[in-house]
Amino acid sequence: RRFVEVGAHDLNNNNHHVTATPNLTQTVVERESEYTNREVKAAKTAREIHRRLGYPSQRDFEKLLSDGYFTNSPVTVEDARRALRIYGPLPELLRGKSKHTTPAIVPNTKVELLPSYILQEHREVSLAVDFFSINGNIFLHLKSNKIHFRSNYPVKNRSKSTMLPLINQTISIYNRRGFAIHEIKGD
């Protein structure tokens, strides 16, 4: 291995001498000079195989190599890591794998008027009210008897103070659409 001092040289015009100042950036050529020709060639081969596979993540690529996914592969996990150290991450991985698509325009929707025959036949509605629970979570369930519209609300308890605002909210939904609640059934 050959190690090269990394630094930039500044010329001081007053004294006509060169002073070295630290430079923390390295070029690919400088990083390649830290390895043997065989190691650099193996790193380039690893990078090429990484590209041909469709740019899997570095972790996935190393896992494929370590699990022996490729038979008679000239590339090892160390070659893949060396390629990352020399050349940095693949630009294609940094950019992402999906292309941005412009979302479709959502048209303005208006509330459609209810057909008059439904209001004529089902104007008066009665509501059935009950609680049910799923995995310990309690819900208030309201269902109309004629049009079978259902409303479900998550609640913390089964108390009257929890239930009444939600029932009133549901009644106002029916009233806005032209229905009249004439009966509420519950146990």
Side-chain angles (χ1 to χ4, degrees):
R1 291 187 178 179
R2 213 177 88 215
F3 294 97
V4 178
E5 178 185 338
V6 177
H9 300 281
D10 295 330
L11 179 63
N12 186 337
N13 288 330
N14 295 337
N15 300 331
H16 300 289
H17 70 278
V18 176
T19 58
T21 57
N23 183 2
L24 300 178
T25 59
Q26 282 185 307
T27 64
V28 171
V29 173
E30 290 171 338
R31 285 188 231 132
E32 282 180 345
S33 69
E34 297 175 4
Y35 299 99
T36 64
N37 289 340
R38 182 177 291 170
E39 290 172 329
V40 171
K41 185 177 178 185
K44 286 180 180 178
T45 305
R47 183 54 55 109
E48 181 58 30
I49 291 173
H50 201 164
R51 281 196 172 102
R52 287 183 183 183
L53 288 174
Y55 308 106
S57 69
Q58 184 71 24
R59 181 186 306 160
D60 291 345
F61 182 54
E62 289 177 10
K63 181 150 178 55
L64 290 172
L65 292 172
S66 67
D67 290 350
Y69 186 77
F70 310 107
T71 56
N72 300 326
S73 174
V75 177
T76 65
V77 175
E78 278 306 311
D79 296 331
R81 290 179 183 155
R82 190 176 307 110
L84 182 63
R85 284 191 299 270
I86 293 173
Y87 305 110
L90 285 162
E92 292 81 2
L93 287 175
L94 296 175
R95 272 188 238 125
K97 296 181 182 183
S98 62
K99 294 183 179 179
H100 174 72
T101 57
T102 306
I105 297 173
V106 178
N108 291 337
T109 56
K110 64 177 189 169
V111 176
E112 294 292 328
L113 295 175
L114 209 56
S116 59
Y117 66 90
I118 292 178
L119 278 175
Q120 288 172 358
E121 293 182 29
H122 306 291
R123 181 174 297 278
E124 290 189 357
V125 177
S126 65
L127 285 179
V129 180
D130 203 358
F131 288 99
F132 69 93
S133 63
I134 299 174
N135 295 333
N137 299 312
I138 305 170
F139 295 87
L140 176 66
H141 175 76
L142 297 105
K143 179 186 171 212
S144 63
N145 66 338
K146 292 184 179 179
I147 57 175
H148 303 288
F149 177 73
R150 296 173 184 262
S151 302
N152 295 303
Y153 302 99
V155 293
K156 293 183 180 180
N157 56 44
R158 298 171 188 248
S159 69
K160 181 179 177 181
S161 61
T162 301
M163 195 169 46
L164 283 179
L166 297 173
I167 291 174
N168 288 332
Q169 179 181 342
T170 304
I171 290 172
S172 68
I173 291 171
Y174 281 96
N175 290 339
R176 281 195 304 259
R177 298 297 280 172
F179 295 102
I181 305 298
H182 72 93
E183 180 182 32
I184 298 177
K185 301 175 186 174
D187 51 0

